[in-house]
Amino acid sequence: MYTEIRREAYEANIALPKQGLINLTFGNASAVDRDRAVFAIKPSGVDYADLTPGNMVIVDFEGNIVEGNLRPSSDTPTHRRLFLAFEEIGGVVHTHSTRATAFAQAGRAIPNFGTTHADYFYGEIPVTRKMTPEEIASAYEWETGNVIVERFKDLNPLDFPAVLVNRHAPFTWGKTVAKAVEVAVAVECIADMALSSLQLEPGLKPIEQELLDKHFLRKHGATAYYGQPE
Amino acid sequence: MYTEIRREAYEANIALPKQGLINLTFGNASAVDRDRAVFAIKPSGVDYADLTPGNMVIVDFEGNIVEGNLRPSSDTPTHRRLFLAFEEIGGVVHTHSTRATAFAQAGRAIPNFGTTHADYFYGEIPVTRKMTPEEIASAYEWETGNVIVERFKDLNPLDFPAVLVNRHAPFTWGKTVAKAVEVAVAVECIADMALSSLQLEPGLKPIEQELLDKHFLRKHGATAYYGQPE
Amino acid sequence: MYTEIRREAYEANIALPKQGLINLTFGNASAVDRDRAVFAIKPSGVDYADLTPGNMVIVDFEGNIVEGNLRPSSDTPTHRRLFLAFEEIGGVVHTHSTRATAFAQAGRAIPNFGTTHADYFYGEIPVTRKMTPEEIASAYEWETGNVIVERFKDLNPLDFPAVLVNRHAPFTWGKTVAKAVEVAVAVECIADMALSSLQLEPGLKPIEQELLDKHFLRKHGATAYYGQPE
Amino acid sequence: MYTEIRREAYEANIALPKQGLINLTFGNASAVDRDRAVFAIKPSGVDYADLTPGNMVIVDFEGNIVEGNLRPSSDTPTHRRLFLAFEEIGGVVHTHSTRATAFAQAGRAIPNFGTTHADYFYGEIPVTRKMTPEEIASAYEWETGNVIVERFKDLNPLDFPAVLVNRHAPFTWGKTVAKAVEVAVAVECIADMALSSLQLEPGLKPIEQELLDKHFLRKHGATAYYGQPE
């Protein structure tokens, strides 16, 4: 019944270490089935080498385990919060990729310095505020989702398909979980470029609006002309 | 009829991710057939794993698709502009390689700090001026080629076989597209070295003219003695 | 008789270059058998490609070779000192991994800047004081162990499963040597992230106590809920 | 007749790209036969994939080609100069490895900041003075050897088995060319660590003399105890 999201979640999870985005077991991916209101997610603390479509855990939108003998990722409530808030997304990815995490630890958004960035994001990659002691002490992973949603109250999640959680690391998403993996690769690459650009020019200004518009819009929206017709 | 340039363009395109120059689908390579006034170029937004000589797109010097069922790379007008302006080149490569792109984002030429650089370039790796809102709003990719050509009005493209497009990324070229790939590898390596040298000595001066002459000219021109006789 | 610790030590040693933690022969791993009061350790100066479970050297807690035709690692007395002082550990790993060693050379602890770090360490990764000329001139490798033990007089080794030896490099440990390898991977990753965060914010403050508590304690101790039930 | 040095030089040359020390064709290795007063060296500008023991070029101490149909490396006179001046060495390696070259470009010796460095070098990794216009204009590669030899007039080449040629890149050597490859790996690793340590502490002082003595001398000379008895 959940064959398709099991396969999608599995493929996304095993792509993360192959792409160099994951050390050890830092990270997880999930794929949603909107019709059935469930998602498939990595089991907690399991080595990537031991993953199979069959051991993905199926969780519903209230957080109940629908199928699976293993505990789901401890970050499951964050994924769930994002699926509830961002109705247009089909998958979520969380990594601790090195350069993006360096920005998150410093509480800094990743400035949009060039067209590589503008091909994916319609502005900077936002960072959340720090979580309060109360949020941390209560339903921590759910509240992690809440600070992300709060940061996006004036942002379109498909125009900004990633966030840095302050002191923590990036979350990315997309229409499919495969797209969320692609964005996770882009975020790490963009963070690395931005760090080097900042070494060269500590006060570097963001990309000009007209160039941002051009690059973002040639890949996204009604006037896109990049890639093949769908 | 276009077998040779299809093969050359294909081999150059698949070399880019193997050399670590490309993440995702950021980049493309093209090979020209001067006699027939056409070039073969990567189709737009296609995964490197799915490329074949047969799906390279054949485009003429007016920008018409001569052969191919897929859209050519969105950067095709930039390649075309370069083939028209630089008559001695046989191939063009575009990457978003990380360190070179960091210089491009910062609007900084890559200074010539040592013999690794001098083996390939007869001076700094130049950067274009920023494009105007008008250039961006009109035929953007063609105008990208124009700002490159403008930057080269007093430079020999074979003495300076690469450029950084401001806010964007490097383009490289050569007598063959295979050579353009080699230059793309060199540009990334040189950019990485230059960043580290600048960390050590923020005010580092460029290489002395006599050493630049020696290294560039032992590999290029009438007095070259590097490599095997051709 | 020592089959199990030979196998564990062998697997840990060969994991080090696979994980990118070791260049040349800089590093070693050991596994202890508490019941027999012996440990298995890498032979000195032997290539990782030539290791086998059979050529691990078995050493007792007084430093005598119990089994083996090869000299044990020159760092053996340091491992022995740690097994004697930290009774809860089952394995020790020593690497010269690049970013962690950069902190050790500078005599700097690795500050705890985010949750990646907090998942493994209940605070900064400590650095020892410099060794005195007398310590260096006497039983150097044993004294290396002594300065580590001195640094841990008020620290729980399982809450802080790594140390940087000043001017030298990291040592890590864990309940098993496989866990010590995992920590060694984490230390290098955390060091790399911290260096980049410090580039962004030279005066960056450590992680807030409540977030440290949350992340460390969700993985360790009585209230842990990360991973699968054991 | 030159089977042994052909094999040694071949194995050393192909090890360089495998170790990540070489991009493109930047680099070369040579092995000497002191009895016959000849050395085997890489042919110039040939891809590493096309090397065989048979296409190594045999050159005598006056610079004549004794065997071989290809031109030897353009750096051959530098290797020859070193074999003549440093009688105790059996092989020479030249790379443009990234971080070491960054120091060379900046004209900076690599300071000895820790025991990784002290295991290989009895002090900093020296840098030559800049070459004069006259030296560059005359027998450039031979003069490159001369500035190295000049820098070593008070240094023992086996205590300092590498040098950075100013504005250029490292040369390393050893009793065998295999050892020179090992040193080349160490130099790149040490340079990378030193750059990161300098980011943390721009005014970092070199390692204390007593620790330098300890580490260098436990691996070298009459009192060495690292590794297995020979």
Side-chain angles (χ1 to χ4, degrees):
Chain A
M1 190 150 139
Y2 307 118
T3 312
E4 183 58 18
I5 55 172
R6 285 183 177 284
R7 189 188 57 75
E8 288 175 16
Y10 163 73
E11 289 180 357
N13 275 294
I14 62 169
L16 300 179
K18 277 185 204 160
Q19 293 282 1
L21 298 175
I22 299 275
N23 281 301
L24 306 169
T25 58
F26 301 150
N28 39 70
S30 66
V32 77
D33 179 334
R34 292 271 171 199
D35 292 336
R36 297 194 174 87
V38 297
F39 56 98
I41 191 164
K42 183 177 176 291
S44 182
V46 173
D47 273 3
Y48 288 87
D50 297 331
L51 296 183
T52 64
N55 62 20
M56 297 294 112
V57 185
I58 307 296
V59 180
D60 72 18
F61 281 12
E62 286 73 48
N64 305 303
I65 297 179
V66 176
E67 270 189 19
N69 300 316
L70 296 168
R71 278 187 198 165
S73 167
S74 55
D75 295 316
T76 297
T78 314
H79 291 242
R80 185 163 66 89
R81 187 70 194 88
L82 296 179
F83 285 128
L84 287 169
F86 301 159
E87 295 182 6
E88 52 278 76
I89 68 174
V92 170
V93 165
H94 174 46
T95 79
H96 287 217
S97 68
T98 307
R99 303 293 165 229
T101 301
F103 276 88
Q105 292 190 150
R108 294 264 294 256
I110 304 177
N112 190 337
F113 287 143
T115 65
T116 319
H117 188 131
D119 280 341
Y120 280 89
F121 296 92
Y122 205 27
E124 68 180 16
I125 300 175
V127 65
T128 69
R129 66 165 169 81
K130 287 185 186 175
M131 295 174 72
T132 65
E134 292 69 31
E135 288 166 339
I136 293 167
S138 65
Y140 170 64
E141 292 84 1
W142 175 259
E143 295 297 338
T144 299
N146 274 337
V147 295
I148 297 172
V149 173
E150 178 187 314
R151 181 68 189 80
F152 274 72
K153 69 174 191 290
D154 298 321
L155 296 176
N156 177 343
L158 291 183
D159 287 353
F160 296 83
V163 73
L164 305 178
V165 176
N166 207 311
R167 290 293 194 187
H168 191 152
F171 283 80
T172 69
W173 48 78
K175 285 190 181 173
T176 62
V177 70
K179 187 70 187 175
V181 172
E182 181 188 331
V183 174
V185 173
V187 167
E188 179 61 9
C189 172
I190 288 165
D192 199 10
M193 288 173 177
L195 260 172
S196 293
S197 290
L198 283 169
Q199 183 197 322
L200 288 168
E201 293 284 346
L204 185 62
K205 293 274 185 299
I207 194 170
E208 292 68 28
Q209 186 64 39
E210 58 271 14
L211 191 55
L212 169 57
D213 286 346
K214 179 70 193 177
H215 267 264
F216 190 76
L217 300 175
R218 80 175 183 167
K219 280 201 169 182
H220 303 87
T223 58
Y225 59 93
Y226 179 91
Q228 304 301 325
E230 292 183 2
Chain B
M1 190 148 139
Y2 308 118
T3 311
E4 183 58 19
I5 55 172
R6 284 184 179 283
R7 188 188 56 76
E8 288 175 17
Y10 164 72
E11 289 180 358
N13 275 294
I14 62 169
L16 300 179
K18 277 186 205 159
Q19 293 281 1
L21 298 176
I22 300 275
N23 281 299
L24 306 169
T25 59
F26 300 150
N28 40 70
S30 67
V32 76
D33 178 336
R34 292 272 171 197
D35 292 336
R36 295 192 175 90
V38 296
F39 57 98
I41 191 164
K42 182 176 176 290
S44 183
V46 173
D47 274 2
Y48 288 88
D50 297 331
L51 296 183
T52 63
N55 63 21
M56 297 294 112
V57 185
I58 308 295
V59 180
D60 71 18
F61 281 12
E62 286 72 48
N64 304 303
I65 296 179
V66 175
E67 269 189 19
N69 299 317
L70 296 169
R71 279 187 197 166
S73 166
S74 57
D75 295 316
T76 297
T78 315
H79 291 242
R80 185 162 67 88
R81 186 70 193 88
L82 296 179
F83 285 129
L84 287 169
F86 301 161
E87 295 182 5
E88 52 278 76
I89 69 173
V92 171
V93 165
H94 173 46
T95 79
H96 287 216
S97 69
T98 309
R99 303 294 164 228
T101 300
F103 276 88
Q105 291 189 152
R108 293 264 294 256
I110 306 177
N112 190 336
F113 286 143
T115 65
T116 319
H117 187 132
D119 281 339
Y120 280 88
F121 296 91
Y122 204 27
E124 69 180 17
I125 300 175
V127 65
T128 69
R129 65 167 170 81
K130 287 186 185 171
M131 294 174 72
T132 65
E134 293 69 31
E135 287 166 339
I136 293 167
S138 64
Y140 170 64
E141 292 84 1
W142 175 260
E143 295 296 338
T144 299
N146 274 336
V147 294
I148 297 172
V149 173
E150 178 187 315
R151 181 69 188 81
F152 273 72
K153 71 173 189 291
D154 298 320
L155 296 176
N156 176 342
L158 290 184
D159 287 352
F160 296 83
V163 73
L164 304 179
V165 175
N166 207 311
R167 290 292 193 189
H168 191 152
F171 283 81
T172 68
W173 47 79
K175 286 189 179 171
T176 62
V177 69
K179 187 70 186 176
V181 172
E182 180 187 332
V183 174
V185 174
V187 167
E188 180 60 10
C189 173
I190 288 165
D192 199 10
M193 288 174 178
L195 261 171
S196 293
S197 290
L198 283 168
Q199 183 197 322
L200 288 168
E201 293 284 347
L204 186 61
K205 292 275 184 298
I207 194 170
E208 292 69 29
Q209 186 65 39
E210 58 271 13
L211 191 55
L212 170 56
D213 286 346
K214 180 70 194 180
H215 267 263
F216 190 76
L217 300 175
R218 79 174 184 169
K219 281 202 167 181
H220 303 87
T223 57
Y225 59 93
Y226 179 91
Q228 304 302 325
E230 291 184 2
Chain C
M1 189 148 137
Y2 307 118
T3 311
E4 184 58 19
I5 55 172
R6 284 183 178 284
R7 188 189 57 75
E8 288 175 17
Y10 163 73
E11 288 180 359
N13 275 294
I14 62 169
L16 301 179
K18 276 185 206 161
Q19 293 282 1
L21 297 176
I22 299 275
N23 280 300
L24 305 169
T25 59
F26 302 149
N28 39 70
S30 66
V32 76
D33 179 335
R34 292 271 172 198
D35 292 336
R36 297 193 174 89
V38 297
F39 56 99
I41 191 164
K42 183 177 175 289
S44 183
V46 173
D47 273 3
Y48 287 87
D50 297 331
L51 295 183
T52 64
N55 62 21
M56 297 293 111
V57 185
I58 307 296
V59 180
D60 72 18
F61 280 12
E62 286 72 48
N64 305 304
I65 297 178
V66 175
E67 269 189 20
N69 299 316
L70 296 169
R71 279 187 197 164
S73 166
S74 56
D75 295 316
T76 298
T78 315
H79 290 243
R80 185 162 67 87
R81 187 70 194 89
L82 297 179
F83 285 128
L84 287 169
F86 301 161
E87 294 182 6
E88 52 278 77
I89 69 174
V92 171
V93 165
H94 173 46
T95 79
H96 287 218
S97 69
T98 307
R99 303 294 165 230
T101 300
F103 276 89
Q105 291 190 151
R108 293 264 294 255
I110 306 177
N112 191 336
F113 287 142
T115 65
T116 319
H117 188 132
D119 281 340
Y120 281 89
F121 297 92
Y122 204 27
E124 69 179 16
I125 301 175
V127 64
T128 69
R129 65 166 170 80
K130 286 186 186 172
M131 295 174 71
T132 65
E134 292 69 30
E135 287 166 340
I136 292 167
S138 65
Y140 171 63
E141 291 84 0
W142 176 259
E143 295 296 339
T144 299
N146 274 337
V147 295
I148 297 173
V149 173
E150 179 187 312
R151 182 69 189 79
F152 273 73
K153 71 174 188 292
D154 298 321
L155 297 177
N156 177 342
L158 291 184
D159 287 353
F160 296 83
V163 73
L164 304 179
V165 176
N166 206 311
R167 289 293 194 189
H168 191 151
F171 283 80
T172 69
W173 48 78
K175 286 190 180 171
T176 62
V177 69
K179 187 71 187 175
V181 172
E182 181 188 331
V183 174
V185 174
V187 167
E188 180 61 9
C189 173
I190 288 165
D192 198 12
M193 288 173 177
L195 261 171
S196 292
S197 290
L198 283 169
Q199 183 197 323
L200 287 167
E201 292 283 346
L204 185 62
K205 293 273 184 299
I207 193 171
E208 292 69 29
Q209 186 65 39
E210 58 271 15
L211 191 55
L212 169 57
D213 286 346
K214 180 70 193 179
H215 267 264
F216 189 76
L217 300 175
R218 80 174 183 168
K219 280 201 167 180
H220 303 87
T223 57
Y225 59 92
Y226 180 91
Q228 304 302 325
E230 292 185 1
Chain D
M1 190 148 139
Y2 307 118
T3 311
E4 183 58 20
I5 55 173
R6 284 184 178 283
R7 188 189 56 76
E8 288 175 17
Y10 163 72
E11 289 180 358
N13 275 293
I14 61 169
L16 300 179
K18 277 186 205 159
Q19 293 281 1
L21 298 176
I22 299 274
N23 281 299
L24 305 168
T25 59
F26 301 149
N28 40 69
S30 66
V32 77
D33 179 334
R34 291 272 171 198
D35 292 336
R36 297 192 173 90
V38 296
F39 57 98
I41 192 164
K42 183 176 176 290
S44 182
V46 173
D47 272 3
Y48 287 87
D50 296 332
L51 295 183
T52 63
N55 63 21
M56 296 294 113
V57 185
I58 307 297
V59 179
D60 70 19
F61 280 13
E62 286 72 47
N64 304 302
I65 297 179
V66 174
E67 269 188 20
N69 299 316
L70 296 169
R71 278 187 196 165
S73 166
S74 56
D75 295 316
T76 298
T78 314
H79 290 243
R80 185 162 67 88
R81 187 69 194 89
L82 296 179
F83 285 129
L84 287 170
F86 301 160
E87 294 183 5
E88 52 278 77
I89 68 174
V92 171
V93 164
H94 173 46
T95 79
H96 287 217
S97 69
T98 307
R99 302 295 165 228
T101 300
F103 277 88
Q105 291 190 150
R108 292 265 295 256
I110 305 177
N112 190 336
F113 287 143
T115 65
T116 319
H117 187 131
D119 281 340
Y120 280 89
F121 296 92
Y122 204 27
E124 69 179 16
I125 300 175
V127 65
T128 69
R129 65 166 170 80
K130 287 187 186 171
M131 294 174 73
T132 65
E134 292 70 30
E135 286 166 340
I136 293 167
S138 64
Y140 171 65
E141 291 84 1
W142 175 260
E143 295 297 338
T144 300
N146 275 336
V147 295
I148 297 173
V149 173
E150 178 187 314
R151 181 69 189 80
F152 274 72
K153 70 173 189 291
D154 298 321
L155 296 177
N156 176 341
L158 291 183
D159 287 353
F160 295 84
V163 73
L164 304 179
V165 175
N166 207 310
R167 289 294 194 188
H168 191 152
F171 283 80
T172 68
W173 48 78
K175 284 190 180 172
T176 61
V177 69
K179 187 70 186 175
V181 172
E182 180 188 332
V183 174
V185 174
V187 167
E188 180 60 10
C189 173
I190 288 166
D192 199 11
M193 289 174 177
L195 261 171
S196 293
S197 290
L198 283 169
Q199 183 196 322
L200 288 168
E201 293 284 347
L204 185 61
K205 293 274 185 298
I207 194 170
E208 292 68 29
Q209 186 65 38
E210 57 272 14
L211 191 56
L212 169 56
D213 286 345
K214 180 70 194 179
H215 268 263
F216 190 77
L217 299 175
R218 80 175 184 169
K219 280 202 167 180
H220 302 87
T223 57
Y225 59 92
Y226 179 91
Q228 305 301 326
E230 291 184 3

